[in-house]
Amino acid sequence: MALDKETLKQFLDTLERFVEQRLRPLESQVGSEDRIPDDVFEEMKTLGLFGLTIPEQYGGLGLNMSEEVAVARVFGHTSPAFRSAFGTNVGIGSQSLVIDGTQAQKKHYLPRMATGEIIGSFCLTEPDAGSDAASVRMTAKKDADSYVLNGTKRFITNAPKAQLFSVFARTNTAVKGARGVSAFLVDAASDGIELGPAYKKMGQQGTYVCDVFFADVRVPAENLIGGKENVGFKTAMKVLDKGRLHISALSLGIAERLIKDCLNYARERKQFGQPIAEFQLIQAMLADSKTEAYAAECMIADTARRRDEGEDVAVLAASCKLFATEMVGRVADRAVQIFGGAGYVEDYGIERFYRDVRLFRIYEGTSQIQQTVIARDMIKNG
Ligand code: COS
């Protein structure tokens, strides 16, 4: 659904207030306790955040891409852990089903995903299949009216909270690459599933990530996404195209937050008898950050609009992710520099953002994978 302008504005205003008044005061606590308080989850459910991109007929808000990136950008104005709480239901944890699921599969799962009753999680990465996602080794062997899954999935966001996994496994072991991979909906409570311990990470405390082990996990054949074998890799790529745009918008939001913090600090902090904002070398850093954030804003808005108009935006989404995630890394680095010692100590929260944004250049496809996607297309299509 494309919301009318006024409704979208009201919704974004409500979310901006929630971010400002409810989430920002919790940033330091979430950073040190490494968890999102339960009542925040409940409030997110009430706001409809878990169902942002789930079609209205299944109880979600059915936001289009332009609307989704607008919401992601607002959630960039606080610690990214908050967005991650509902982020997999909006993106990689639900979209395999939304994009390629059968009517029956959608009807069965999406209404409960929209409310947040079911948390979805995306199981693609493995110990030996990261950037080379088509090389998944996990097997799914057909046995009567079910498939039996064996293998390990690595670094799975929200797995400790999930009730439903979208799992990518090899149904055709005779084929090595993408063409032997299928996608399944797997109940997290199935026999044979075990979770590894939660990873301790460089940043993004308050997000939940662990490995998932599958030992003879029996999945009903009706849970093969779309009912078709060996097309799961394409499903994963379509999901990631969308996810890459979402992460770009989140990066833009965080850049905006940091630019604002830098400006406020530079106006107040005095050295050599005047606010440091008066110094041209500080101004250069502020101006570079502002300009680069604006460039990302334009790229994201253009790509989201084109996607909404039905264009294939795989390459543009890769360009957005490459630029926006690298951009926010530079902005965070300049923020530490502008804050100086205050940027390096914990008290001001700047060092936390510096650590948090590092992940954006890695997950949902590294910067190098985005470069590969872009350059391959250039070589093929000119
Ligand atoms: N949308 C739809 N289909 C796509 C697609 C897309 N964006 N990208 C590729 N495909 C299709 C191709 O058209 C091809 O189909 P055919 O077999 O019919 O020709 C098939 O998928 C295989 O594509 P390709 O040959 O390009 O696959 P590669 O193994 O070379 O891998 C990259 C492509 C590297 C781009 C892919 O593996 C990738 O994105 N890796 C990063 C994975 C990632 O982001 N991981 C993050 C963890 S998940 S949070």
Side-chain angles (χ1 to χ4, degrees), residues 92 122 124-125 130-135 155 157 177-179 233-235 237-238 240-241 244 312 314 362-366 369-370 372-373 376 380:
I92 56 177
F122 183 76
L124 175 64
T125 300
S131 289
D132 185 8
S135 71
F155 304 144
T157 301
R179 291 187 179 176
F233 183 77
K234 288 186 185 178
T235 299
M237 290 299 113
K238 286 183 263 182
L240 286 171
D241 286 344
R244 288 168 184 171
D312 175 354
I362 299 170
Y363 73 177
E364 302 204 19
T366 60
I369 286 295
Q370 311 310 331
T372 305
V373 170
R376 272 191 193 180
K380 195 168 156 205

Side-chain angles (χ1 to χ4, degrees), residues 301-318:
D302 179 58
T303 305
R305 180 186 50 77
R306 288 182 189 222
R307 189 181 187 282
D308 288 333
E309 287 169 2
E311 211 175 295
D312 175 354
V313 296
V315 177
L316 292 178

Side-chain angles (χ1 to χ4, degrees), residues 49-250:
L49 292 171
F50 288 85
L52 289 175
T53 55
I54 292 174
E56 284 170 286
Q57 66 187 114
Y58 302 109
L61 290 177
L63 299 190
N64 66 23
M65 197 70 231
S66 301
E67 294 162 345
E68 180 187 338
V69 293
V71 172
R73 181 175 175 181
V74 168
F75 275 86
H77 298 159
T78 186
S79 296
F82 293 112
R83 190 231 44 123
S84 182
F86 62 87
T88 50
N89 273 38
V90 172
I92 56 177
S94 71
Q95 293 304 301
S96 303
L97 184 49
V98 170
I99 295 172
D100 278 340
T102 62
Q103 284 295 334
Q105 289 168 344
K106 292 181 189 185
K107 220 170 138 188
H108 188 68
Y109 290 109
L110 289 179
R112 285 175 295 152
M113 294 189 97
T115 59
E117 187 191 332
I118 290 182
I119 302 291
S121 201
F122 183 76
C123 295
L124 175 64
T125 300
E126 297 183 359
D128 294 311
S131 289
D132 185 8
S135 71
V136 292
R137 288 190 186 172
M138 175 179 247
T139 53
K141 211 170 162 193
K142 189 90 192 277
D143 181 36
D145 56 357
S146 46
Y147 289 87
V148 180
L149 271 56
N150 279 289
T152 297
K153 293 294 177 180
R154 175 141 295 173
F155 304 144
I156 305 303
T157 301
N158 276 342
K161 292 246 166 204
Q163 284 76 33
L164 183 69
F165 294 124
S166 305
V167 180
F168 298 84
R170 191 162 295 283
T171 30
N172 186 348
T173 46
V175 177
K176 283 221 168 345
R179 291 187 179 176
V181 177
S182 300
F184 296 91
L185 296 161
V186 183
D187 185 337
S190 308
D191 286 343
I193 292 186
E194 266 190 50
L195 300 183
Y199 278 102
K200 291 198 170 127
K201 307 180 269 26
M202 172 195 271
Q204 301 221 2
Q205 276 66 37
T207 62
Y208 304 92
V209 184
C210 71
D211 290 352
V212 187
F213 306 102
F214 295 73
D216 290 330
V217 176
R218 202 162 268 280
V219 178
E222 70 223 36
N223 281 24
L224 173 68
I225 292 181
K228 277 194 222 145
E229 283 189 359
N230 303 324
V231 291
F233 183 77
K234 288 186 185 178
T235 299
M237 290 299 113
K238 286 183 263 182
V239 169
L240 286 171
D241 286 344
K242 196 162 183 285
R244 288 168 184 171
L245 256 177
H246 182 107
I247 298 300
S248 305
L250 181 65

